Amino acid sequence: MPLDRRRFLAGTAAFLAFQAAPASAGFLAKIAFIDLVEQQLEEAMHPRFPGEVWVLVDGRKLSLDVYRGRERIEHFAPVSLGRGGADNQRISGGSVTPRGEFRVNRFNFDSRWHLFMGVDYPTPDHARMALRTGLYSREDYQAYFDHYRRYGTPPQDTVLGGAIGLHGLGEADPEVHRRMNWTQGCVAMTDTQIEQLEELVGIGTRIVIR
């Protein structure tokens, strides 16, 4: 059976990781057959504790819901995603909104988009998936975790891109926002909606994009 480039790269990455860290070889072999983002999403759809406030962005319905535990307390629609839709694997410049479970890790109240809530993309699971698919080399993978350990946040300048978050429209065209996905990968809402959302969330709030 012919070996295509993706399988070759994934196999090479797994072999190199095995050579570098034998103790983790079993784990790396396991992730070669599991979509970690899908697994992440399955676990993310349940509140972490009673009364937890968390956010669900539905890429098919183009909606954003805020929950307290299992009770929906706010609903916003439509929201806009990246021009390329939502996917488990995002590449810098591809205008795709990454799917997965994230946490709010910063606010920018002077954003060109009125208000910007950044999230911790790419997560470690996105990095592991990138190694699996060959988007990350072994060196890229190690550099990702070196950066995360040093700064407590993921690097924003790898092939997976960064600067992902939820934001308002600012000077963007409201009519375009109503008709289509238009962002470079973020989740966009109206200025009024993002202000209302900001009152409900904070640093550390879970944001689930599916």
Side-chain angles (χ1 to χ4, degrees):
M1 178 178 177
L3 184 66
D4 61 28
R5 179 175 180 272
R6 176 167 290 186
R7 289 182 179 176
F8 172 78
L9 288 171
T12 301
F15 174 76
L16 290 172
F18 175 85
Q19 294 296 317
S24 63
F27 172 74
L28 289 172
K30 182 179 179 182
I31 70 171
F33 303 98
I34 296 176
D35 187 323
L36 294 178
V37 174
E38 286 300 327
Q39 187 178 70
Q40 187 182 82
L41 285 171
E42 288 180 12
E43 299 171 355
M45 297 304 297
H46 308 283
R48 292 289 184 262
F49 54 86
E52 179 199 17
V53 174
W54 60 287
V55 174
L56 174 62
V57 178
D58 191 315
R60 293 181 180 177
K61 297 178 180 179
L62 297 179
S63 64
L64 185 152
D65 294 309
V66 183
Y67 286 85
R68 180 176 289 114
R70 297 185 182 278
E71 177 189 4
R72 188 173 75 176
I73 60 174
E74 190 60 86
H75 174 76
F76 300 106
V79 299
S80 293
L81 305 183
R83 290 189 297 273
D87 204 342
N88 292 4
Q89 191 79 80
R90 178 182 191 272
I91 299 175
S92 179
S95 295
V96 166
T97 298
R99 299 173 77 239
E101 179 185 36
F102 311 97
R103 300 251 179 196
V104 175
N105 66 358
R106 61 196 185 279
F107 287 86
N108 180 0
F109 293 94
D110 295 317
S111 168
R112 60 180 292 199
W113 307 116
H114 184 63
L115 190 163
F116 180 88
M117 303 179 191
V119 301
D120 59 345
Y121 170 84
T123 70
D125 278 347
H126 288 94
R128 294 179 183 113
M129 287 287 290
L131 176 65
R132 180 198 117 174
T133 60
L135 287 173
Y136 270 4
S137 67
R138 178 167 157 269
E139 290 74 20
D140 294 332
Y141 182 75
Q142 185 63 51
Y144 170 93
F145 283 99
D146 286 346
H147 186 284
Y148 214 132
R149 283 190 292 268
R150 177 173 295 184
Y151 299 105
T153 60
Q156 301 292 285
D157 57 355
T158 76
V159 68
L160 299 182
I164 296 297
L166 293 77
H167 61 68
L169 296 185
E171 297 180 0
D173 189 333
E175 183 59 31
V176 170
H177 175 72
R178 282 191 291 268
R179 290 189 291 108
M180 66 183 69
N181 289 327
W182 59 272
T183 78
Q184 295 180 3
C186 292
V187 177
M189 312 168 67
T190 68
D191 292 349
T192 298
Q193 289 172 338
I194 197 71
E195 289 175 0
Q196 292 172 338
L197 180 62
E198 187 268 331
E199 293 179 356
L200 297 171
V201 305
I203 298 296
T205 297
R206 286 193 308 126
I207 308 292
V208 180
I209 304 176
R210 69 173 184 183

